Amino acid sequence: MPIVYHEKSKEFHLYNKEVSYLFQIIDNGQLGQLYYGKRLRDREDFSHLFERCSRDMAPYNFEGNCDFSLEHIKQEYPTFGNGDMRYPAYEIERVNGSRIVEFAYDSHKIYQGKPELSGMPATYVEKPEEAETLEVTLKEPYIHMKMVLIYTIYEDYPVITRSVRFENESEDDQVLLNALSGCVDLPDRDYEMIELAGAWARERNVVKRYLEYGLQGIYSMRGASSYQFNPFLVLKRPKADEFSGEVLGFSLVYSGNFLAQVEVDNYDVSRVLLGIHPHGFRWTLKQGESFQTPEMVMVYSDKGLNKMSQVYHELYRTRLARGKWRDLERPILINNWEATYFDFNEQKIYELAEKAAGLGIELFVLDDGWFGKRNDDTSSLGDWYPNEEKLKGGLRLLAERINGLGLKFGMWIEPEMVNKDSDLYRKHPDWVFAEVGRNMCHSRNQYVLDFSKKEVRDYIYDMLERLFLDLPISYIKWDMNRTLSDIFSNGNDREYQGKTYHKYILGVYELYERLIQKFPDILFESCASGGARFDPGMLYYAPQAWTSDNTDAVQRLKIQYGTSMVYPISSIGSHVSASPNHQTGRETSMEMRADVAYFGTFGYELDLMELTEEDLEKIREQVVFMKEHRSLIHHGTFYRLKSPFEGNETAWMVVAKDRREALVAYYRILQPTNTGFCRLKLEGLDEEVMYQIEDLDYDCYGDELMQSGLILSDTASGVRNSKWKEKGDFQARLIKLTAI
């Protein structure tokens, strides 16, 4: 799996059995892009792929040379101001106010393995031979700065990761105004762009648009990756679909403000840029200091969207998520939030846990309201000690009693936030983001702690450490219930303010890292009032995330389908909740709710004390089913078959690595009348293997199930003797396939 440098042509070729990435050192010492796509046979010289031209009004870089203009050259990491009029990947303000810089090639090194990024989440390798890394150093001679472009290509995946490190070797301060993680200049605009967009309770909807001239992009300036957009975009050829065609995926391993955009110039070149959003970013580098950008993960597929997603799933599940819980079976939990909200005491919690234990549930999670004087959302955030009035015997005794039932114990925290009505705020009002003395924006009656400050992080860490050491705790749900506003770090100077957004996220990462190193046995789940910070950066610290506060099974089809574009099923927090649903008021069957929630971490969020014996028995059966199939669901290969964004039906399936078993899920929202016959073509099976189809009286070879399809016709199609039990609206069918 080589990374090759061809000395004569000054070309770098990163390639494995599936993908190639080519660039070269060009005439002015910068780097020019040559190719990104399906694997090419290596050769000594690809310089014919470097295109230049002479066009009216173009700025040319060399006196008397009218065919070298950076405005019309595809580049590797472009700047603005020395010929290129397009959006840049970086921008530096020099001490004299000029923003003109010219970084030129100085050296490079190629080595096995993959470096860590200091203080930042990133994909990794367990053995050096899994990947190879190229570091290209460029220098700016006038201001004595160094730029290191870092590339890693994995051997077994069509994956190339990229990031950049800036180093100031000058005696003068240099100011980064923009530092994106990577750029790709593609030679045409014949692409459809896919993004994941939404809002609270409808996160990560799949949105498509054709590339047009000018800018098209997504972003967050909310201090978190956001509900509105995810730090991920896809470019696919117009005829590409889930199973065929060329697809390029771009994902950012970061949890804060981001920009992901495609600029199409008037000559049809498409420039992809991804990284930290430049708004509010101003990073001063003093002599000897450096700045590291987040990691961009690029995935190539010539077999459609499913292949791209499967690569991200495997990479992020096994080489981004870390720790004890990365590969372990996740416990089936019950969370008390929708059962009690803030209205509980120790006896109510114990009775709910006792009921859960009798159903085979494995983990009890105590949600918001257990700390300080917390009886509603107006007080006590920041006071992470037990509410003795609400929990008369103490939190430790309650946790031990729950353990005595055979359940693990977990709890909810929101360490980044504070209420004005709290001991912490009364003691340190200057620890929140906002200028002291000015009006502050609140959200959910809470304010954001300034995690850019070490003393704030240390204070919160000390409280949580004491709490965790005192409890038999197995799980933490780390919430973050508002986005950032009023960004000002009290007590710090003007220069510091431009660093605050990014230092906040680095502070969150640091606190996570300290806690998981101190408590490696705890399973952390990230949350941000649902899915406002469901991103790769979080997966590095917490292997699963609460996908959305919307637990309605019908809405979850869209949310989980969109999430699966890039995130592994094992990371998707999914619960069976009450009917009528608390967010939508929709009534769905216990079966439907579970059949959707199985394709995630799986758990319950409802009041078991109000359920009928019939529903309790169904839960017992569901728990048994999930325990039997969770390894297949979380570690198998996931296929999207029918999109909820394109019709009344949704379907997906997961296939074991050895293709000896599979689980197919089919969902129909509204009951149709007098329709045609219904077949579902499956994917990923072994063509030559006979599969037993659960609940049907015939078996099929894999080729038949994939080419002809699984027959799902029922009375809606006029089939009176259908094997499928009629369920009306909001129905789901789970079909197990087993090789025989």
Side-chain angles (χ1 to χ4, degrees):
M1 182 209 61
I3 296 177
V4 177
Y5 177 64
H6 296 296
E7 186 75 38
K8 186 176 181 180
S9 60
K10 298 182 179 180
E11 293 170 2
F12 297 92
H13 188 187
L14 293 74
Y15 68 99
N16 58 26
K17 61 182 180 294
E18 294 186 75
V19 65
S20 278
Y21 191 89
L22 280 156
F23 62 94
Q24 70 174 176
I25 304 167
I26 57 178
D27 296 3
N28 66 344
Q30 292 180 226
L31 303 178
Q33 287 183 347
L34 299 177
Y35 175 82
Y36 174 42
K38 190 171 182 177
R39 192 244 198 205
L40 301 179
R41 189 188 311 275
D42 188 46
R43 54 187 290 181
E44 289 292 325
D45 192 344
F46 287 96
S47 59
H48 57 281
L49 295 176
F50 180 68
E51 298 174 285
R52 63 180 80 198
C53 63
S54 177
R55 289 173 177 152
D56 289 344
M57 303 302 294
Y60 297 103
N61 294 77
F62 299 107
E63 196 74 35
N65 181 340
C66 292
D67 70 351
F68 189 94
S69 171
L70 291 176
E71 183 176 7
H72 303 299
I73 288 174
K74 293 183 281 295
Q75 296 168 67
E76 194 63 15
Y77 198 67
T79 187
F80 183 87
N82 60 350
D84 193 345
M85 301 292 104
R86 295 166 291 179
Y87 271 79
Y90 71 101
E91 189 170 12
I92 297 172
E93 183 180 85
R94 294 159 45 191
V95 68
N96 66 355
S98 172
R99 301 183 183 185
I100 300 172
V101 293
E102 296 182 84
F103 281 86
Y105 171 83
D106 178 74
S107 62
H108 72 272
K109 60 180 180 179
I110 299 170
Y111 55 91
Q112 278 197 330
K114 187 176 188 297
E116 295 182 355
L117 301 185
S118 178
M120 298 279 287
T123 56
Y124 59 88
V125 296
E126 291 188 338
K127 301 175 183 177
E129 58 268 25
E130 291 178 10
E132 200 160 76
T133 294
L134 164 67
E135 294 189 9
V136 182
T137 298
L138 300 97
K139 289 188 175 181
E140 221 293 350
Y142 295 99
I143 62 172
H144 305 291
M145 277 196 73
K146 184 165 67 174
M147 173 199 298
V148 182
L149 305 184
I150 306 167
Y151 304 78
T152 296
I153 182 168
Y154 279 81
E155 180 167 5
D156 294 330
Y157 306 114
V159 170
I160 295 170
T161 69
R162 296 177 59 180
S163 68
V164 183
R165 184 173 69 251
F166 292 88
E167 301 177 10
N168 185 15
E169 300 174 331
S170 167
E171 293 180 359
D172 296 324
D173 293 354
Q174 309 295 347
V175 181
L176 281 173
L177 303 175
N178 183 14
L180 301 180
S181 297
C183 169
V184 180
D185 280 348
L186 299 168
D188 64 78
R189 68 178 180 97
D190 189 25
Y191 290 99
E192 197 174 29
M193 176 175 154
I194 297 178
E195 65 203 53
L196 302 179
W200 178 81
R202 52 179 177 88
E203 297 91 335
R204 288 173 297 286
N205 282 209
V206 178
V207 178
K208 302 177 184 178
R209 60 173 116 167
Y210 287 103
L211 293 188
E212 299 290 350
Y213 292 126
L215 293 176
Q216 40 257 291
I218 55 176
Y219 69 96
S220 172
M221 295 190 294
R222 299 168 181 268
S225 47
S226 84
Y227 307 113
Q228 285 69 23
F229 300 106
N230 200 261
F232 166 74
L233 64 81
V234 173
L235 294 184
K236 75 175 189 68
R237 294 301 187 183
K239 292 184 179 179
D241 57 23
E242 288 284 4
F243 306 107
S244 65
E246 187 175 62
V247 174
L248 308 176
F250 302 90
S251 174
L252 187 67
V253 186
Y254 191 60
S255 308
N257 290 352
F258 75 90
L259 175 68
Q261 74 177 29
V262 184
E263 177 185 8
V264 180
D265 73 12
N266 295 85
Y267 298 95
D268 291 347
V269 171
S270 298
R271 170 168 289 181
V272 182
L273 292 169
L274 186 62
I276 295 174
H277 201 294
H279 177 76
F281 178 87
R282 184 181 176 89
W283 198 279
T284 300
L285 288 175
K286 298 185 180 300
Q287 185 177 25
E289 293 183 341
S290 64
F291 180 83
Q292 173 66 54
T293 72
E295 181 172 84
M296 177 173 78
V297 180
M298 300 162 39
V299 169
Y300 174 80
S301 168
D302 63 348
K303 297 180 176 64
L305 291 163
N306 260 293
K307 174 63 182 300
M308 176 207 67
S309 297
Q310 290 159 6
V311 172
Y312 275 120
H313 291 182
E314 188 71 10
L315 182 74
Y316 283 177
R317 187 182 64 79
T318 66
R319 293 297 180 269
L320 180 63
R322 301 174 295 159
K324 170 182 175 179
W325 287 98
R326 186 190 75 177
D327 300 321
L328 288 183
E329 292 183 344
R330 308 291 167 74
I332 298 172
L333 64 82
I334 184 165
N335 183 300
N336 72 292
W337 179 242
E338 290 190 9
T340 67
Y341 293 101
F342 292 107
D343 183 20
F344 62 82
N345 56 32
E346 76 283 355
Q347 188 58 31
K348 183 183 285 189
I349 292 298
Y350 181 76
E351 289 174 358
L352 186 60
E354 189 175 39
K355 182 73 76 171
L359 300 173
I361 293 170
E362 299 163 309
L363 167 67
F364 185 91
V365 179
L366 182 61
D367 210 281
D368 195 354
W370 58 265
F371 54 93
K373 298 179 180 179
R374 181 83 161 177
N375 294 306
D376 55 39
D377 64 11
T378 64
S379 77
S380 300
L381 286 176
D383 297 343
W384 300 110
Y385 46 83
N387 184 330
E388 300 291 349
E389 294 181 9
K390 191 178 283 189
L391 305 173
K392 298 295 186 183
L395 184 57
R396 181 176 180 176
L397 178 60
L398 175 61
E400 289 174 343
R401 291 182 69 199
I402 289 173
N403 283 172
L405 296 170
L407 290 170
K408 295 181 182 298
F409 178 74
M411 60 197 306
W412 176 97
I413 60 172
E414 193 174 3
E416 299 161 64
M417 302 295 158
V418 66
N419 292 120
K420 282 188 175 180
D421 183 9
S422 67
D423 293 340
L424 173 56
Y425 183 82
R426 284 184 284 270
K427 187 176 181 181
H428 296 289
D430 59 327
W431 278 9
V432 301
F433 274 140
E435 190 175 354
V436 172
R438 294 180 67 92
N439 182 57
M440 298 189 296
C441 293
H442 71 87
S443 178
R444 203 177 181 242
N445 298 302
Q446 62 192 53
Y447 302 85
V448 183
L449 288 171
D450 184 356
F451 264 39
S452 76
K453 294 179 176 179
K454 186 177 186 301
E455 62 268 29
V456 178
R457 302 193 302 271
D458 287 347
Y459 182 92
I460 297 297
Y461 175 82
D462 289 344
M463 276 198 295
L464 294 178
E465 181 187 46
R466 287 194 298 271
L467 180 70
F468 294 174
L469 287 172
D470 189 52
L471 296 172
I473 192 163
S474 301
Y475 165 101
I476 286 293
K477 179 180 179 180
W478 180 320
D479 209 343
M480 185 253 198
N481 272 303
R482 63 161 293 182
T483 52
L484 278 57
S485 64
D486 309 89
I487 299 301
F488 181 81
S489 182
N490 288 286
N492 285 304
D493 60 17
R494 179 179 179 180
E495 179 184 291
Y496 186 91
Q497 304 308 322
K499 299 182 177 183
T500 308
Y501 269 121
H502 183 56
K503 287 178 72 70
Y504 174 86
I505 292 298
L506 294 180
V508 172
Y509 291 156
E510 182 198 72
L511 182 59
Y512 255 117
E513 189 68 34
R514 291 176 70 183
L515 288 170
I516 63 176
Q517 292 300 325
K518 180 71 175 183
F519 303 98
D521 294 333
I522 292 178
L523 170 59
F524 283 87
E525 177 173 287
S526 67
C527 176
S529 190
R533 203 163 64 181
F534 199 127
D535 58 63
M538 285 290 104
L539 287 186
Y540 187 73
Y541 304 97
Q544 62 190 54
W546 185 226
T547 316
S548 175
D549 281 343
N550 190 340
T551 55
D552 172 56
V554 174
Q555 287 296 312
R556 271 302 186 107
L557 291 174
K558 289 184 175 180
I559 294 168
Q560 291 176 208
Y561 185 97
T563 303
S564 78
M565 277 283 173
V566 62
Y567 300 105
I569 306 307
S570 60
S571 71
I572 297 175
S574 54
H575 293 174
V576 176
S577 62
S579 181
N581 179 265
H582 287 199
Q583 289 78 48
T584 66
R586 196 188 328 268
E587 296 186 34
T588 54
S589 68
M590 184 69 77
E591 293 89 345
M592 167 73 173
R593 285 172 271 158
D595 287 350
V596 175
Y598 287 139
F599 292 88
T601 58
F602 195 71
Y604 292 88
E605 192 155 342
L606 73 177
D607 192 347
L608 298 174
M609 313 306 289
E610 294 184 350
L611 297 183
T612 65
E613 281 302 318
E614 180 182 2
D615 278 342
L616 292 173
E617 183 56 36
K618 289 177 182 176
I619 288 177
R620 288 189 186 92
E621 294 170 359
Q622 291 166 1
V623 169
V624 170
F625 179 90
M626 189 59 187
K627 288 178 180 178
E628 180 182 346
H629 294 94
R630 60 187 163 189
S631 180
L632 166 64
I633 292 169
H634 293 163
H635 300 146
T637 304
F638 185 79
Y639 293 87
R640 293 180 299 271
L641 304 178
K642 282 183 174 290
S643 170
F645 300 99
E646 297 176 1
N648 190 44
E649 301 167 301
T650 303
W652 53 55
M653 64 184 292
V654 62
V655 182
K657 297 295 185 184
D658 63 4
R659 298 191 292 176
R660 302 294 295 175
E661 61 177 343
L663 188 62
V664 181
Y666 171 81
Y667 310 93
R668 190 166 68 195
I669 306 306
L670 299 179
Q671 174 74 10
T673 302
N674 197 20
T675 65
F677 296 118
C678 179
R679 291 191 185 188
L680 180 65
K681 291 185 178 181
L682 307 186
E683 291 288 335
L685 303 175
D686 190 323
E687 293 183 352
E688 300 183 1
V689 166
M690 179 75 79
Y691 291 91
Q692 181 182 47
I693 305 171
E694 190 176 58
D695 295 331
L696 295 185
D697 54 6
Y698 62 89
D699 306 321
C700 288
Y701 280 101
D703 60 351
E704 179 183 340
L705 291 168
M706 292 188 290
Q707 301 304 320
S708 179
L710 179 66
I711 295 175
L712 296 176
S713 303
D714 57 18
T715 55
S717 305
V719 180
R720 296 184 179 181
N721 60 345
S722 169
K723 296 293 183 179
W724 305 114
K725 182 181 178 183
E726 202 61 47
K727 298 180 181 179
D729 294 342
F730 315 131
Q731 67 168 279
R733 300 172 188 168
L734 288 190
I735 303 148
K736 178 71 180 293
L737 306 180
T738 307
I740 55 176

